């Protein structure tokens, strides 16, 4: 059976109604006979609140503890999505990054994924479950929670896809594609039909804020 990975950003899960829509999309893909992994980001409002709480306490919070704090946002969203899938009659399980077998180096707030052990994901596939993974996080060799930096959920999605030999990664956001410029600023910006990995990587490295550069690097490496 083929597998796909669906990644949803914070704006796509900003409300309970949007979370329910994500649940329906995931079930629709599973109904096509595919194993489905959903990688989820933190709800935007929750991520903002968590950072605000830390800022109220410290001007320079400990990076390790910020990783612990911020990782909870995506974990909360992933649990809510599983609740929504279950309410719709589906079967699903939520996994934190470390539960999904994602190991990283020890650079807190900007860690790099070193490996993804997919055995637990595969076990849940065998049980007919959609696997919902909290993006943007992993665990290092010292069993510390780490986060992957801005846009890290995209890297999570591609790394997991490579580990399970997924057919593709679908990234859902609040725009319908990649444009020649920001369409909210440049009215006549054109949507591009396709981009090569190298073109996308150049855009990412130049600060286009479309995809995380490491996600593009992994996608190119594993096709």
């Amino acid at each position: 059976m083929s597998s796909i990975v669906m990644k949803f950003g914070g704006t796509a899960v900003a409300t309970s109604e949007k979370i329910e829509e994500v649940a329906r999309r995931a079930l629709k893909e599973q109904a096509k006979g595919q194993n489905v992994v959903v990688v989820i980001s933190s709800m935007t409002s929750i991520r903002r609140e968590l950072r605000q709480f830390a800022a109220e306490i410290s001007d320079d919070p400990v990076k390790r503890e910020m990783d612990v704090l911020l990782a909870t946002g995506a974990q909360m969203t992933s649990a809510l999505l599983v609740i929504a899938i279950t309410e719709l009659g589906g079967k699903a399980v939520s996994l934190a990054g470390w539960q999904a077998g994602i190991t990283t180096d020890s650079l807190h707030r900007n860690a790099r994924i070193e490996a993804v052990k997919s055995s637990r994901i595969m076990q849940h596939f065998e049980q007919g479950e959609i696997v919902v993974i909290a993006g943007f996080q992993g665990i290092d060799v010292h069993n510390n929670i780490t986060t992957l930096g801005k846009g890290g959920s995209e890297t999570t999605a591609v790394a997991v896809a490579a580990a399970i030999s997924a057919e593709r990664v679908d990234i859902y956001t609040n725009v319908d594609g990649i444009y020649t410029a920001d369409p909210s600023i440049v009215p006549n910006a054109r949507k591009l039909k396709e981009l090569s990995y190298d073109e996308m990587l150049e855009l990412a490295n130049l600060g286009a804020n479309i995809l995380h550069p490491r996600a593009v690097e992994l996608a190119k490496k594993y096709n």
Side-chain angles (χ1 to χ4, degrees):
M1 184 183 292
S2 64
S3 304
I4 68 162
V5 176
M6 308 169 74
K7 183 266 175 182
F8 293 88
T11 55
V13 291
T15 64
S16 57
E17 291 80 8
K18 289 186 176 182
I19 289 172
E20 289 168 355
E21 175 59 27
V22 170
R24 284 188 285 271
R25 285 180 179 269
L27 285 166
K28 183 177 179 180
E29 291 294 338
Q30 188 188 44
K32 296 176 183 177
Q34 302 179 112
N35 291 319
V36 176
V37 171
V38 179
V39 173
I40 210 86
S41 296
S42 172
M43 299 169 74
T44 306
S45 59
I46 297 300
R47 182 167 60 242
R48 190 182 303 117
E49 282 187 22
L50 291 172
R51 287 183 171 138
Q52 181 60 34
F53 283 139
E56 290 173 0
I57 295 170
S58 172
D59 292 330
D60 186 23
V62 179
K63 289 184 178 180
R64 179 193 182 279
E65 302 310 322
M66 284 301 295
D67 276 356
V68 175
L69 177 66
L70 295 176
T72 63
Q75 291 169 22
M76 186 191 83
T77 312
S78 64
L80 289 171
L81 179 56
V82 169
I83 291 169
I85 292 171
T86 304
E87 279 295 299
L88 292 169
K91 293 175 63 180
V93 62
S94 66
L95 301 177
W98 64 270
Q99 291 174 310
I102 299 170
T103 54
T104 74
D105 62 19
S106 299
L107 185 60
H108 287 290
R109 303 300 308 277
N110 198 30
R112 296 182 74 95
I113 294 176
E114 294 186 337
V116 179
K117 186 178 179 181
S118 63
S119 56
R120 183 165 181 181
I121 297 172
M122 294 303 186
Q123 288 171 8
H124 289 295
F125 283 165
E126 291 172 4
Q127 297 169 28
E129 294 173 317
I130 294 171
V131 179
V132 181
I133 298 175
F136 172 70
Q137 62 189 257
I139 195 168
D140 71 5
V141 68
H142 306 293
N143 290 328
N144 291 311
I145 293 171
T146 55
T147 63
L148 309 180
K150 182 177 174 57
S153 291
E154 293 155 5
T155 305
T156 300
V158 177
V160 169
I164 66 172
S165 300
E167 181 181 305
R168 69 179 194 272
V169 180
D170 293 339
I171 296 178
Y172 293 80
T173 183
N174 59 345
V175 293
D176 62 351
I178 297 172
Y179 285 74
T180 54
D182 187 338
S184 66
I185 299 172
V186 183
N188 61 347
R190 292 179 295 105
K191 188 171 76 170
L192 302 170
K193 287 186 176 182
E194 63 180 39
L195 280 173
S196 70
Y197 290 117
D198 289 336
E199 288 169 331
M200 186 66 252
L201 189 58
E202 184 176 3
L203 283 173
N205 283 323
L206 289 173
N209 291 325
I210 300 169
L211 288 175
H212 197 287
R214 292 176 198 164
V216 184
E217 290 169 0
L218 283 171
K220 179 181 180 181
K221 180 177 180 180
Y222 293 101
N223 195 34

